[in-house]
Amino acid sequence: MADAESSKALSGLLNGISQRRYYGNTEITDELLQTELYPELPPDQFRVLHDKMQGIIKSIVSADMDVNQIDAFLTAQTKKQGGITAEQSLVIAKFWKNHKKKIRESVINQNRWENTLKGLRWRIDVKSQSSHMDQVSSSAAIVEMEIGAKDKDSEFLCMELDETKMNEILKKLSEVEENLAALTHIS
C-alpha cells in the first residue's frame, strides 16, 4: 500500500511541476505540492526531492527523449549515488509516456515568437467568363492561408495563381527541398 501511495504522490509531484513549468499554471506552488502530496516530509527534504524531480523532467524534456533514451537515462539515474529508486523510475517513465506530446507542444508554443501558418486551403477554379476570350476555360489555383501568432488574431492571405506562377512556385519549393536535404544529409 505504501508503494502505491508513494507512486501516486510522485506522479502528483511530476504533474504539478509540469503544470507550473510547461503549462503556466501559477496556482500550483511548491507549498501547495508539499502540503497536498508530502505533508509528513520536512521542507528541506521536500525541496531536495522537488529539485531532483524538476531536474530530471528538465533533462528529459530538453532531450525530447524517446522510449529507449528514457529507459537508458532512468537506469543511469537509479545507479548513480543520490539518484532515484526503481519505483520512482517507473513512475517517471509512465509520466513521460503520458505527457510527452503535450509538453513538447507547449515548449514549442512557448518558444515561437513569429507568425505561423495556422491553416491552408486551396482549390482549382476554371474561368467561365472573361473580358478576353483567351482567358476563358483557363485554370487558376486559389490559395487561402491563415497566418497568426500565439494569442493574436489571425490574418488571411488569398492568392490566385495561374499555371505559370504555380509552376514557378513548385520549382522554387523543389529547390528549397533539395537544399534542405543536402544540408541535413549525414555522410
Side-chain angles (χ1 to χ4, degrees), residues 30-97:
D30 293 348
E31 295 77 23
L32 175 69
L33 292 173
Q34 182 176 8
T35 56
E36 292 294 319
L37 302 170
Y38 295 95
E40 74 290 344
L41 206 59
D44 57 330
Q45 289 180 6
F46 174 77
R47 170 64 42 211
V48 169
L49 175 65
H50 177 276
D51 291 349
K52 184 188 301 182
M53 292 303 135
Q54 185 167 290
I56 288 172
I57 291 173
K58 184 177 178 184
S59 296
I60 293 169
V61 170
S62 65
D64 194 24
M65 293 184 188
D66 64 20
V67 175
N68 294 331
Q69 292 171 320
I70 189 110
D71 286 343
F73 175 74
L74 293 174
T75 299
Q77 291 296 314
T78 60
K79 293 181 179 179
K80 101 179 194 185
Q81 185 156 352
I84 60 174
T85 66
E87 293 79 22
Q88 289 174 328
S89 173
L90 292 173
V91 173
I92 295 167
K94 183 178 179 183
F95 165 81
W96 184 240
K97 179 184 173 198

Side-chain angles (χ1 to χ4, degrees), residues 158-175:
C158 185
M159 300 181 291
E160 181 176 330
L161 307 167
D162 63 11
E163 185 178 0
T164 306
K165 284 291 183 195
M166 190 67 184
N167 286 334
E168 287 176 22
I169 289 175
L170 290 174
K171 183 180 177 192
K172 294 279 186 196
L173 288 173
S174 288
E175 290 172 9

Side-chain angles (χ1 to χ4, degrees), residues 120-135:
L120 175 73
R121 294 187 330 207
W122 65 275
R123 68 181 186 274
I124 303 294
D125 283 350
V126 178
K127 290 185 181 179
S128 60
Q129 293 183 4
S130 178
S131 58
H132 303 287
M133 280 305 287
D134 60 336
Q135 291 182 347

Side-chain angles (χ1 to χ4, degrees), residues 81-112:
Q81 185 156 352
I84 60 174
T85 66
E87 293 79 22
Q88 289 174 328
S89 173
L90 292 173
V91 173
I92 295 167
K94 183 178 179 183
F95 165 81
W96 184 240
K97 179 184 173 198
N98 293 331
H99 291 84
K100 178 181 180 176
K101 186 176 179 181
K102 272 180 45 178
I103 289 175
R104 184 174 190 280
E105 288 173 7
S106 175
V107 168
I108 289 170
N109 287 334
Q110 289 173 12
N111 292 297
R112 182 178 293 142

